[in-house]
Structures are given as structure tokens and as C-alpha cells.
Amino acid sequence: MNQQEINRILDELEAKAERDIEIVFARRLKSILAQMLEMHRKFGRNGEATWTDVNKYNRFNQEIKLIARQLNVDYKQIIKLIQASQERLYIERYLLMAYLLQQSTGEEMGFKIPSVEVIQAALTNPVEFLTLPKIFEAHRNEIIRRLNIEIAQSLQAGESYTDMAIRIENAMGWTRKKATLVARTEGGRARSQVDLAIEEQASKTARLTKVWMSSLDTRVRKSHRKLDGQKADKEGYFHYNGIGGSDHLPEHLQDKAPSLGWKAKGPRLWGIASMDIQCRCHTIFMVNGKLPEYRRGRDYMDDTYQKQLAASIDAYMSDLGLTYKQAFNKAYKEVKPPSVTIPFISYEDWRNQFSGKG
């Protein structure tokens, strides 16, 4: 097991949460379309409703109020889905990284399963208007407003049910994408928050170094591409200031680096929308200067192997212009660790033993 494999496990957990959110919106879209079809049948002429007929006796407002009540229930469900996903991501990354760090170094680092209170405190956004209820309150109000406008305009224009359905589908597609974006951002923030807890605990017995790893594709924002491969400073901060991290500054300016730009202890922790929203970057930990990995029959912590791996990563980044992630993957395939016979414990067995500690 290595950190890339852990990230892939967590990526799948995030993807599942996004699929669950899409199911909620798909069901609501189906329900609204059925409601509008019944409205055309009930209040229309020749199967097509008119603004005059629907607006009689406050019928239009009653239809919109029904949609609003249904969406209110949906958004409460979505908040619960995202919160459950955050908690799952937190505990899974914590345990997977605890296993990897302890087994690869052979040191007992004192990891303990975090309590529900600790997890919730870490995941609660300190900015009130950025909490999930506040964010989705704005989303809910906006989609209700948009559906009100689209349905009213469709009726006033004398459009058919099919034309109205297209309007509704477009509006619901917008709010589904917004909700998915929130889920992705909050899931990433949970992963960054648990990294702080991992760093705090593991640093008590080992020397940890954090490295910023950007994604592979061309959608990575310029600021995060510039952060790629940067090592955190002595206090655990990454820096973005148009120059680079503090390691790239003249020695007499390194202590002033925080005042020259922005700093954060991990991806999605800048507190700046343009740096946090939909960020797909990760933190990679080096332990005592080595990239931890643990497998049966291979010594991935061998000094010679680690030096060759680090040299290959640096060479691929400087000579080929690869991102840290690309260079890591390429070097990992080409540089092989020595074989060794050592006692091995699987993650499942370790987790069972670890859970029994409490």
C-alpha cells in the first residue's frame, strides 16, 4: 500500500457520494415533471395548460409551493449525505494512513481512533455562511426562484409540456451541478483536515515532510500547478505568492514569506474561494525523508531505493516538465525496491487489532 492507492480508495468514496446526490435530483426531476404533466392535463385545453387557467384561484402558487416543500426535503437529505461522506472520508483516511505510516516505519506512533466529537469539530466550517445549511439554503432558494420563472414563462408563452420539461431539466441540471461541486469541495476539505490530525500525531515520533501534489490533467488552475511539488515550511505551511514557496526565497526573506502572499496547511484550506473550490490536489507525506510504502516481500523503505526514487522524481520534473504526480508514477514503475523476507500484516487484520485497542 502507498499514498496513491489510498487516494484512489478515497476518490471512489467521494464518487459514490456524488452518485447518491445525483439520484436525489433525478428522483425530484421525475416528480416535478410528473406534477407538470398532471397540471397540463388537469388545467389545460387539448392537453396544454395556459397561464390564465393555471393562475386561477391561486393554482400556480400552490404548484410552486408544493415543489418548494419537496426541494426542502431533498436538500436536507443532501446535507446528510455530504456530512456522512465527510465523516467516512475522515475516518478511512485516518486509519489507512495510520496503518501505512506505522507498518512502513516499524514504529508505534500512538494513533487512536478519533471520537465523533473530534471528527465533527474538525469538519465544521468556521465561517458561518460557508456551512452546509447556509450554502444549500442559498441553492434551494435560487432553484425555486428559477423554476418559478421558467414555469411561468413557459405558460405565458403558450409552450407545450415538452418545451416546459426542457426548461425544468436545464434548471435542475444547474442545481445538481452546484450540489455536486459542494460535495466535491467539502470531501476534499475533510481529507485535508484529517491530514492535519495525522501530521500532528505522527510528528511526535517521526520527521514528517508534506509535498503538494497536483492532478495530472490540464484543468489544474495555474496557482496549483505552481504549487506542485512544493514542500511545506517548518511550520507546515504551503505558500503561494507569485514567487514560489519559502524554500525558493532568498534566505533573508524566508522568515517573511507568510507576509508576502497566501499560506495554507493543505489543499482546500486557503480560505479563498478561487484557491479552494473544486480543488483536486493532495498532500503527500514523506517520513524521515522517505516515501512510505508497505507490501509483502518488498522493502520500500530501503535507503538506496528511496534515494533512487527521489532522484528519478526530481529528474522527470526538471528534465521532462512532468507534474509531481506524473513523475512519481513514472519513477515508481521504473525503480524497484529490493526483495526482503519480513513479517507482514494486512490492512484488514491490522484494522481489526487497532479497533480492539479501545
Side-chain angles (χ1 to χ4, degrees), residues 88-140:
R88 177 81 183 277
L89 287 168
Y90 191 102
I91 192 67
E92 289 297 331
R93 178 160 177 81
Y94 187 90
L95 291 177
L96 286 164
M97 286 299 298
Y99 167 77
L100 175 61
L101 295 178
Q102 291 191 168
Q103 298 303 117
S104 61
T105 61
E107 297 183 20
E108 174 57 51
M109 294 183 172
F111 284 104
K112 296 180 180 179
I113 297 178
S115 66
V116 174
E117 292 75 19
V118 169
I119 295 174
Q120 290 179 347
L123 296 179
T124 300
N125 198 310
V127 183
E128 183 181 359
F129 68 87
L130 291 181
T131 59
L132 288 175
K134 287 292 185 181
I135 291 173
F136 282 116
E137 180 182 3
H139 287 192
R140 182 200 61 205

Side-chain angles (χ1 to χ4, degrees), residues 21-292:
I21 290 172
E22 290 181 353
I23 290 173
V24 173
F25 281 110
R27 288 173 178 169
R28 183 53 55 217
L29 173 61
K30 183 178 180 180
S31 172
I32 293 174
L33 292 179
Q35 180 183 342
M36 293 299 101
L37 181 61
E38 177 62 15
M39 183 184 72
H40 274 270
R41 185 196 66 78
K42 187 175 181 180
F43 303 121
R45 300 173 184 176
N46 299 322
E48 294 184 7
T50 65
W51 172 251
T52 302
D53 293 328
V54 175
N55 204 35
K56 283 181 180 178
Y57 312 114
N58 204 32
R59 291 167 178 165
F60 176 77
N61 287 335
Q62 290 174 5
E63 297 289 341
I64 296 299
K65 285 180 180 179
L66 176 58
I67 292 174
R69 288 197 299 270
Q70 294 170 338
L71 286 170
N72 189 48
V73 173
D74 292 336
Y75 276 109
K76 287 181 179 179
Q77 182 181 357
I78 289 169
I79 290 173
K80 290 181 179 179
L81 285 172
I82 294 178
Q83 289 174 335
S85 175
Q86 282 183 292
E87 292 174 6
R88 177 81 183 277
L89 287 168
Y90 191 102
I91 192 67
E92 289 297 331
R93 178 160 177 81
Y94 187 90
L95 291 177
L96 286 164
M97 286 299 298
Y99 167 77
L100 175 61
L101 295 178
Q102 291 191 168
Q103 298 303 117
S104 61
T105 61
E107 297 183 20
E108 174 57 51
M109 294 183 172
F111 284 104
K112 296 180 180 179
I113 297 178
S115 66
V116 174
E117 292 75 19
V118 169
I119 295 174
Q120 290 179 347
L123 296 179
T124 300
N125 198 310
V127 183
E128 183 181 359
F129 68 87
L130 291 181
T131 59
L132 288 175
K134 287 292 185 181
I135 291 173
F136 282 116
E137 180 182 3
H139 287 192
R140 182 200 61 205
N141 292 340
E142 176 61 19
I143 187 56
I144 292 172
R145 186 188 70 84
R146 290 189 62 167
L147 287 172
N148 191 331
I149 292 173
E150 295 294 347
I151 295 172
Q153 289 182 344
S154 179
L155 289 169
Q156 291 169 1
E159 294 178 349
S160 66
Y161 165 77
T162 301
D163 293 329
M164 179 184 288
I166 293 173
R167 286 175 176 261
I168 294 172
E169 287 175 2
N170 290 338
M172 291 297 290
W174 169 84
T175 197
R176 175 182 55 79
K177 289 179 182 177
K178 295 283 283 187
T180 302
L181 177 59
V182 172
R184 192 171 302 155
T185 301
E186 289 301 302
R189 193 174 67 84
R191 292 164 71 163
S192 293
Q193 286 290 348
V194 71
D195 281 352
L196 299 182
I198 292 167
E199 180 183 12
E200 180 182 3
Q201 183 60 40
S203 294
K204 296 176 181 178
T205 55
R207 176 170 54 87
L208 256 65
T209 304
K210 292 187 298 188
V211 182
W212 187 286
M213 177 183 281
S214 296
S215 296
L216 291 170
D217 53 52
T218 57
R219 293 185 292 137
V220 177
R221 64 202 81 187
K222 292 182 180 179
S223 56
H224 291 190
R225 188 173 293 276
K226 190 167 186 177
L227 284 163
D228 186 51
Q230 182 187 128
K231 293 182 180 179
D233 65 16
K234 294 178 181 179
E235 295 180 350
Y237 285 99
F238 296 101
H239 294 271
Y240 178 71
N241 46 39
I243 301 174
S246 58
D247 290 343
H248 300 287
L249 294 174
E251 186 174 351
H252 69 283
L253 287 178
Q254 288 187 9
D255 292 338
K256 298 180 180 180
S259 65
L260 297 177
W262 301 329
K263 66 177 183 179
K265 287 197 171 184
R268 298 161 294 270
L269 298 179
W270 298 91
I272 302 167
S274 61
M275 295 289 281
D276 290 343
I277 293 178
Q278 208 170 1
C279 171
R280 294 168 294 123
C281 301
H282 300 297
T283 295
I284 292 293
F285 287 106
M286 297 181 70
V287 186
N288 299 326
K290 300 178 180 180
L291 289 165

Side-chain angles (χ1 to χ4, degrees), residues 306-326:
Q306 286 284 337
K307 289 177 181 178
Q308 292 176 345
L309 184 65
S312 295
I313 291 173
D314 290 341
Y316 290 142
M317 291 181 69
S318 59
D319 297 344
L320 302 181
L322 301 182
T323 66
Y324 186 84
K325 187 174 184 179
Q326 289 171 324

